Amino acid sequence: MNIRSFAGGIVKPSSLLVLTEMPILTFGSSKLNATLALRLPCNRVAGIGLITRFQYSVADRTLTSRSADSPSSKPGSSRLNRKRESSSSSLYSRPSLSDMKKDRIANCVKVYECLRGIGIVPDELDGLELPVTVEVMRERVDFLHNLGLTIEDINNYPLVLGCSVKKNMIPVLDYLGKLGVRKSTFTQFLRRYPQVLHASVVIDLQPVVKYLQGMDIKPSDIPRVLERYPEVLGFKLEGTMSTSVAYLVGIGIARREIGGVLTRYPEILGMRVGRVIEPFVEYLESLGIPRLAIARLIEKRPHMLGFGLNEKMKPNVESLEEFNVRRMLIPFVIAHHPEIIGIDLKPKLVNQRNLLNSVLDMGAEDFGRVIEKMPQVVSLGSAPMLRHVDFLKECGFSLPQMREMIVGCPQLLALNIDIMKLSFGYLQMEMKRPLEELVAFPAFFTYGFESTVKPRHKMVSKKGLKCSLAWMLNCSDEKFEQRMNYDTIDIEEMEMEPSFDMNSLMEPRSDESDSDYEDSDRDDV
């Protein structure tokens, strides 16, 4: 070992620097060798030593320190190893995109396994942002279960599992509850329209509710509309909703009636004019029902628009003709009882014809006349009909007389039997009329006993007039007062067929709304 002095003289031991064979050290981008060390003052050398030791200390905490004395390490491979280890083990490193993707896939597999374990098929969830943990997914499933939805319901629309309980489900359900939608209807509501859970209350739901109110649907009726037709919450404001309403107003439905029409049958808001409403109106017009009468029928029974044109209406009209309803009277049958074109008609016609034929020996032509005068007969139960036939038999009418009476007035098959008994007893005991008068005018049973039959009979008796039951009863109160001023009775004013007057549908409206509801615009498909 050689000892040298920096000043050329003898120095104190503390200022001496003992040198050994020093390897080249890398410090940043500079190389520090023994020669440079000889030229530096002692304090500088000491400082460099501290820095070097600090560098090694950090390396020890993070990586494996690189030693130039290690015979087995190559400079190139040592540098590469340090880079690899630094990228994966540094305290400040972040996961790579590939690592994040692997984590998502792993979590997705666990969530799918959980769903399959409870019977949910997750195939449609591919590409959907799902919860990162199984626990969150279970929370969603449990929440839906508490709402009454079953595993089958969820499988019908598995995308509902993409809705957050706190961010989506609870806000939407809270809003519906505040509107007045009953919690007891939530289950059916979500079964019909689970997509509502994806909606934004402010962006999607509130504008639709305001639009409905703008069509004069009362705020108190909004829950009723939503419960009956939840799909309306997904419609565009200026789409089918506005165009269907505009068309109805165009055919003659009063604007003040629109709110009531939509409240009773909100499905109209989803009907295309060109595909559904217009063909419906045009078909009824082709049968002979005036457009304004159609408008009045829709006002009173808006559910008519839901009758399938090709599925129900046309086949039912064909069935009416098949069962001897005259084509010219079919418009009156429909106007009198619109439901007849929306039910499963042919089996009912077969059953009623067979029943009346068996108890009254009624032929096909007579059955056609019964349907023309009272189309509701197709929906009467067989037991009530038989009770009425038995009552007429007990009154002493023969089979041909009963058949004639029922063909002339089919309402006899549906009236209150107790009232019929009362009227019949009064006719025999007080009015002293023979049975033949009832055969000629069976509609006697349809008039109110206390309100019409008794007071008119007393007036006729007081006047000393001899008249038929038809002359006495088949007129309005005003007309009857006029008749009481007649000196003689010249003609019998009988009721014309059919009894339903189509013109009554097209009479000018009063200021009051018939439907007790009330407005909105048109559709092009």
Side-chain angles (χ1 to χ4, degrees):
M1 178 183 296
N2 297 322
I3 301 175
R4 296 180 183 178
S5 171
F6 284 100
I10 297 174
V11 296
K12 295 179 181 179
S14 62
S15 64
L16 295 178
L17 180 63
V18 180
L19 299 176
T20 61
E21 292 296 324
M22 244 176 128
I24 297 175
L25 300 178
T26 302
F27 183 72
S29 60
S30 304
K31 294 181 180 179
L32 183 65
N33 53 28
T35 305
L36 178 60
L38 288 175
R39 295 195 184 111
L40 293 174
C42 268
N43 56 346
R44 293 291 183 87
V45 174
I48 291 172
L50 288 173
I51 294 172
T52 306
R53 283 195 298 275
F54 177 74
Q55 179 182 355
Y56 273 88
S57 175
V58 172
D60 287 338
R61 285 199 304 268
T62 58
L63 310 169
T64 303
S65 65
R66 192 169 52 120
S67 172
D69 324 293
S70 178
S72 60
S73 27
K74 297 180 181 178
S77 64
S78 178
R79 225 176 280 118
L80 182 60
N81 289 336
R82 188 165 66 174
K83 285 181 181 178
R84 286 175 180 166
E85 293 171 3
S86 176
S87 65
S88 61
S89 304
S90 172
L91 292 173
Y92 305 102
S93 64
R94 295 183 180 179
S96 65
L97 291 176
S98 61
D99 290 337
M100 293 171 66
K101 185 176 180 180
K102 290 177 182 177
D103 289 340
R104 282 198 303 270
I105 292 174
N107 289 329
C108 188
V109 170
K110 293 178 182 178
V111 170
Y112 276 24
E113 288 175 354
C114 170
L115 294 176
R116 289 192 181 97
I118 59 176
I120 296 175
V121 181
D123 297 350
E124 292 185 34
L125 301 179
D126 291 342
L128 192 67
E129 185 175 347
L130 294 176
V132 294
T133 64
V134 170
E135 289 72 21
V136 175
M137 179 57 79
R138 283 178 179 156
E139 178 192 13
R140 295 184 183 182
V141 174
D142 290 343
F143 188 84
L144 294 171
H145 278 330
N146 291 334
L147 291 172
L149 298 182
T150 64
I151 295 298
E152 182 181 359
D153 295 327
I154 297 174
N155 278 328
N156 287 337
Y157 188 72
L159 296 180
V160 74
L161 296 174
C163 297
S164 165
V165 172
K166 294 181 180 179
K167 295 180 181 179
N168 301 106
M169 300 185 190
I170 291 178
V172 166
L173 296 176
D174 281 349
Y175 178 68
L176 294 175
K178 290 176 181 177
L179 287 174
V181 177
R182 295 166 295 171
K183 289 186 179 180
S184 60
T185 67
F186 278 177
T187 301
Q188 192 59 32
F189 193 106
L190 294 176
R191 280 177 181 157
R192 286 193 51 182
Y193 189 58
Q195 296 91 332
V196 72
L197 294 178
H198 293 288
S200 162
V201 171
V202 175
I203 298 174
D204 301 318
L205 305 186
Q206 288 182 349
V208 174
V209 171
K210 290 180 180 178
Y211 190 83
L212 295 176
Q213 292 174 338
M215 288 189 284
D216 285 345
I217 297 177
K218 299 175 183 177
S220 59
D221 288 328
I222 292 292
R224 177 182 176 183
V225 170
L226 298 182
E227 289 175 4
R228 180 178 178 118
Y229 193 52
E231 293 89 341
V232 72
L233 289 171
F235 293 158
K236 294 181 179 179
L237 301 185
E238 298 303 325
T240 303
M241 288 199 296
S242 61
T243 52
S244 59
V245 171
Y247 180 83
L248 294 179
V249 171
I251 66 171
I253 293 181
R255 295 190 69 86
R256 66 176 180 271
E257 299 291 330
I258 288 295
V261 168
L262 297 179
T263 298
R264 297 195 300 277
Y265 196 66
E267 288 86 345
I268 290 173
L269 293 169
M271 291 181 176
R272 299 276 190 178
V273 168
R275 296 179 188 173
V276 180
I277 303 178
E278 192 171 34
F280 172 91
V281 172
E282 290 178 348
Y283 179 68
L284 292 183
E285 279 189 296
S286 72
L287 295 176
I289 303 178
R291 177 167 287 209
L292 185 56
I294 297 171
R296 296 290 185 267
L297 288 173
I298 293 173
E299 286 179 5
K300 297 176 183 297
R301 298 177 178 84
H303 63 276
M304 287 178 61
L305 290 169
F307 299 161
L309 179 59
N310 295 314
E311 299 80 10
K312 292 289 184 184
M313 293 174 62
K314 290 182 178 180
N316 284 353
V317 168
E318 292 172 0
S319 295
L320 289 172
E321 290 188 278
E322 180 183 344
F323 282 79
N324 297 287
V325 175
R326 289 168 287 185
R327 176 81 181 190
M328 61 179 293
L329 294 182
I330 285 180
F332 295 93
V333 170
I334 296 173
H336 191 191
H337 186 54
E339 283 74 13
I340 201 168
I341 56 172
I343 61 177
D344 193 8
L345 181 59
K346 190 167 185 176
K348 294 180 179 294
L349 290 171
V350 171
N351 289 339
Q352 304 301 61
R353 184 183 62 183
N354 291 342
L355 177 66
L356 294 176
N357 181 54
S358 65
V359 297
L360 296 173
D361 195 23
M362 184 178 289
E365 292 293 330
D366 284 341
F367 181 71
R369 304 295 82 76
V370 168
I371 300 300
E372 289 171 0
K373 293 178 180 178
M374 185 185 166
Q376 294 90 338
V377 76
V378 298
S379 300
L380 293 179
S382 57
M385 291 171 65
L386 292 175
R387 283 199 298 270
H388 286 77
V389 171
D390 290 340
F391 165 72
L392 294 177
K393 191 181 298 184
E394 292 169 3
C395 290
F397 296 103
S398 66
L399 181 63
Q401 287 177 324
M402 289 190 295
R403 181 173 60 248
E404 183 180 347
M405 292 172 70
I406 290 175
V407 171
C409 182
Q411 289 83 357
L412 296 181
L413 295 172
L415 295 173
N416 184 304
I417 288 185
D418 291 334
I419 301 298
M420 291 178 72
K421 289 179 179 179
L422 192 62
S423 297
F424 182 73
Y426 186 80
L427 178 128
Q428 284 195 312
M429 304 300 295
E430 298 293 332
M431 300 176 70
K432 308 295 184 181
R433 302 269 185 162
L435 293 181
E436 286 72 17
E437 286 210 46
L438 284 178
V439 175
F441 189 67
F444 166 81
F445 288 107
T446 66
Y447 291 90
F449 175 64
E450 295 290 346
S451 63
T452 305
V453 175
K454 280 180 67 173
R456 290 193 182 186
H457 169 68
K458 288 180 178 180
M459 293 179 68
V460 168
S461 299
K462 185 176 180 180
K463 188 87 172 171
L465 295 175
K466 295 293 183 181
C467 63
S468 69
L469 292 174
W471 188 90
M472 182 178 72
L473 297 173
N474 187 26
C475 61
S476 65
D477 289 339
E478 293 77 15
K479 184 66 175 177
F480 181 74
E481 292 289 343
Q482 293 176 14
R483 289 180 177 180
M484 288 298 94
N485 294 322
Y486 293 172
D487 293 328
T488 59
I489 299 173
D490 295 326
I491 57 172
E492 297 287 343
E493 300 177 60
M494 297 297 294
E495 187 176 340
M496 301 296 293
E497 292 186 6
S499 59
F500 181 78
D501 185 4
M502 184 78 71
N503 291 327
S504 65
L505 289 173
M506 298 180 287
E507 292 174 353
R509 287 184 163 280
S510 63
D511 291 337
E512 295 298 321
S513 168
D514 289 340
S515 65
D516 195 29
Y517 294 95
E518 314 197 13
D519 177 282
S520 196
D521 306 305
R522 164 163 181 152
D523 172 62
D524 48 354
V525 280

